[in-house]
Amino acid sequence: SSSLVLNGGQDGTGAWLPPRKGISYEGGAKMDFWDGRLSGTLSYYEIIFKNRVQFDPNATNVDPTIHGANVLLGEDTSKGVDLDLLANPMPGWQIVFGYSHINNYISKDINPAIVGRHGNGITPDQAKIWNNYEFRTGPLQGFSVGAGLLWFDKTLLSYVGTNPSMEKAYFTGDARVGYTGKWGHHTWRLDFNAKNIGRTPIAVGYNAANS
């Protein structure tokens, strides 16, 4: 598949810069075992984004007051694997497991010293496991409960000069309780969700360019 993202700014001739263009390749396999009690998907992908805008101090500019100009030399590449598994060990009990790995890096740049540098704000590895149980008989029929654990690998936030600023790896947990019932001809559902029940400190809202 292909995609595009608009670029801002003009080149050295005053013309508006064309959009960034991306192309991605993905392939995988679906699995199904034990009459559907264990199923899943495994996929591999590669995404290449060209035309990242960079300022080249040596590029020609028609404006004599400006030394240099914007050029389309930057390129980013992402390669990754996604695994999703769904298990039903017994009626009413569902287990979801997921794992993803992404290697995002600068594949072309006006500065050859940063080629190969990982992208800001992208977690290279993360995993999750979620359990959900639905009571189908007895006095708790209609109720369901769930709990899960998520793991995030250490993440590059930004660079301060040539020194990387990293967010350390961490775990966090979520939980829920819900009830599904009928009201007339309609089925309704009520859920209470709790996120990060361990109150793990998480970096959010940072500006990677200015950290």
Side-chain angles (χ1 to χ4, degrees):
S1 62
S2 59
S3 61
L4 60 86
V5 177
L6 294 180
N7 268 325
Q10 298 167 293
D11 63 15
T13 67
W16 291 102
L17 293 166
R20 294 186 65 188
K21 294 183 178 181
I23 184 168
S24 63
Y25 306 91
E26 182 173 0
K30 291 185 177 293
M31 303 163 281
D32 188 49
F33 304 102
W34 300 301
D35 297 325
R37 287 192 297 168
L38 176 65
S39 59
T41 303
L42 176 65
S43 60
Y44 171 83
Y45 62 88
E46 181 173 332
I47 304 170
I48 301 173
F49 248 121
K50 300 178 180 292
N51 292 351
R52 177 160 49 81
V53 178
Q54 297 184 279
F55 186 81
D56 182 357
N58 298 314
T60 303
N61 199 309
V62 294
D63 185 344
T65 64
I66 301 177
H67 298 286
N70 289 324
V71 294
L72 299 176
L73 291 180
E75 180 184 279
D76 303 311
T77 298
S78 298
K79 299 178 181 180
V81 175
D82 282 320
L83 172 65
D84 290 292
L85 296 175
L86 174 63
N88 295 276
M90 57 184 293
W93 183 17
Q94 187 179 72
I95 303 173
V96 177
F97 173 80
Y99 169 77
S100 67
H101 168 77
I102 179 171
N103 180 21
N104 172 270
Y105 59 93
I106 297 172
S107 44
K108 287 184 181 179
D109 196 273
I110 194 171
N111 178 10
I114 69 171
V115 172
R117 177 182 289 184
H118 294 295
N120 296 344
I122 297 176
T123 304
D125 293 280
Q126 51 186 293
K128 66 178 180 180
I129 185 168
W130 178 263
N131 285 266
N132 192 74
Y133 186 78
E134 178 185 348
F135 296 91
R136 298 184 176 181
T137 59
L140 295 179
Q141 183 176 352
F143 281 94
S144 60
V145 293
L149 192 65
L150 299 90
W151 172 75
F152 299 88
D153 195 5
K154 60 182 180 180
T155 302
L156 172 66
L157 298 181
S158 65
Y159 275 86
V160 181
T162 58
N163 299 316
S165 173
M166 305 292 294
E167 167 75 343
K168 64 181 181 180
Y170 64 91
F171 285 93
T172 182
D174 297 346
R176 62 164 295 277
V177 60
Y179 180 78
T180 302
K182 285 196 172 183
W183 185 11
H185 298 291
H186 301 282
T187 299
W188 56 274
R189 177 171 169 170
L190 181 66
D191 270 301
F192 292 95
N193 296 277
K195 293 186 177 295
N196 193 12
I197 55 179
R199 302 184 69 182
T200 302
I202 301 171
V204 295
Y206 63 87
N207 186 334
N210 297 315
S211 294

